[in-house]
Amino acid sequence: MASAFPSWSLVLVVTAIVGLRLDSAAAAPMYRSGAREAVQGCGRSTQAELVECVAASVQQFVNFMSSGKLTPKHWITPFDPLHLPNMTIYQRKEMRAKAVYVNRYLVGLKNSFIQDVRVDLDRLQFNATALLPALEILGMFASAVGQESDLATENSILTFSLRNTVIDFVARGSLYTPEGSSSPHLWLQLDINYMAIASYVLSEHLGTDHGTSATAAITPAKFMKLMEKDLRVQLIRRLQYIANEALALAPFDQLFPV
Ligand SMILES: *[C@@H]1O[C@H](CO)[C@@H](O)[C@H](O)[C@H]1NC(C)=O
Ligand SMILES: *[C@@H]1O[C@H](CO)[C@@H](O)[C@H](O)[C@H]1NC(C)=O
């Protein structure tokens, strides 16, 4: 996919840190120690160039930084696979019944296509639509009636395969000056304007003979509704956290030199 991008485009964050040029990033990364002078973010010369540069940078970041390794010295939280928190599917105290979906991972974010980027640098607004062709949510479904300890033995591996998800992200920025720094950094507050999943498949593998079927406990449609709601919340929270981890590594005016 890298060849689809113009060679002049830059990896926003990595560029800011180590002064890597995109065209050398794929083949032979060069690390420079005092790279501040080599930093080339997204210039503000024209709005069209700015938008194109931001779009290409975000696209590169998504495609190539998913392991969380930005440079040998700079790590952020990995986002593909993205660890998701445990989820309670239902809990009925009167029946002492409970179902959980735990040890969950979201796979496929790195294959996102970033489209329709909108930037208003004065107001620090960055909006973009992402097309996610194939996402999988993998995890363990466990349910029990009665004792809490039953949960460990009765389980199944549950996978949601989402096809052609479209998400319209909205990011509102603010500037802050971290301790020990004299220059302002960008902090983003993320939200999702719109999210649509074209289709999904739920598949389940029972772990033991005594496995409980998730689909016996809750209909796939109902389950999917819960998952969609949860996915939205987790994407906002987790991606906001990770974006800000990356943005914290370079001051604003290195990302967007005047
Ligand atoms: C999630 O659930 C699993 C299985 O019950 C457990 O081992 C793990 O500690 C839980 N994680 C969190 C963060 O609660
Ligand atoms: C980003 O989206 C928000 C919410 O829809 C909107 O208010 C804002 O004007 C948009 N900004 C840009 C630069 O498109």
Side-chain angles (χ1 to χ4, degrees):
M1 221 188 308
S3 60
F5 299 102
S7 62
W8 50 261
S9 64
L10 298 166
V11 182
L12 180 65
V13 171
V14 171
T15 300
I17 302 161
V18 292
L20 274 181
R21 285 202 135 262
L22 173 60
D23 46 13
S24 63
M30 299 183 304
Y31 301 108
R32 301 171 195 168
S33 45
R36 271 167 189 273
E37 57 285 338
V39 164
Q40 290 173 282
C42 287
R44 313 184 196 192
S45 50
T46 71
Q47 176 68 11
E49 273 178 55
L50 174 69
V51 168
E52 200 161 347
C53 179
V54 170
S57 303
V58 174
Q59 183 71 65
Q60 291 295 321
F61 181 77
V62 167
N63 288 157
F64 297 115
M65 303 294 143
S66 61
S67 69
K69 188 179 182 177
L70 303 186
T71 79
K73 279 190 196 153
H74 297 90
W75 289 78
I76 58 169
T77 304
F79 58 86
D80 198 355
L82 180 68
H83 185 243
L84 300 176
N86 290 345
M87 185 179 172
T88 299
I89 303 299
Y90 64 74
Q91 188 158 25
R92 295 182 191 110
K93 288 220 169 71
E94 68 282 8
M95 292 165 65
R96 298 177 68 186
K98 186 179 179 178
V100 294
Y101 190 29
V102 300
N103 297 335
R104 298 187 302 146
Y105 284 91
L106 176 67
V107 180
L109 281 176
K110 70 174 172 204
N111 298 319
S112 306
F113 293 95
I114 305 300
Q115 303 173 327
D116 191 24
V117 171
R118 289 94 71 201
V119 179
D120 183 336
L121 205 53
D122 294 328
R123 296 162 71 193
L124 300 178
Q125 291 179 349
F126 306 86
N127 298 352
T129 304
L131 171 65
L132 304 117
L135 286 178
E136 321 285 335
I137 301 171
L138 313 167
M140 187 91 80
F141 179 85
S143 73
V145 178
Q147 304 233 332
E148 189 81 12
S149 56
D150 293 345
L151 283 170
T153 51
E154 299 191 1
N155 54 50
S156 65
I157 294 168
L158 195 64
T159 307
F160 286 92
S161 304
L162 315 179
R163 292 294 169 264
N164 296 328
T165 304
V166 175
I167 305 178
D168 193 31
F169 285 102
V170 177
R172 268 181 290 264
S174 51
L175 295 176
Y176 71 101
T177 304
E179 258 187 53
S181 170
S182 55
S183 31
H185 285 55
L186 180 62
W187 191 89
L188 292 181
Q189 184 187 335
L190 213 63
D191 203 353
I192 289 178
N193 234 353
Y194 170 84
M195 177 167 127
I197 301 165
S199 67
Y200 71 91
V201 175
L202 186 162
S203 49
E204 189 177 20
H205 307 278
L206 296 181
T208 67
D209 293 344
H210 310 291
T212 47
S213 171
T215 47
I218 180 168
T219 68
K222 216 169 181 178
F223 211 144
M224 195 54 215
K225 221 169 172 183
L226 277 177
M227 292 310 301
E228 193 172 339
K229 223 169 159 180
D230 174 73
L231 182 62
R232 188 187 180 105
V233 171
Q234 298 310 335
L235 282 175
I236 293 170
R237 275 196 202 143
R238 306 289 288 144
L239 297 184
Q240 174 175 303
Y241 182 83
I242 291 165
N244 285 316
E245 275 185 319
L247 289 168
L249 298 170
F252 180 72
D253 56 11
Q254 265 179 268
L255 301 178
F256 301 103
V258 185

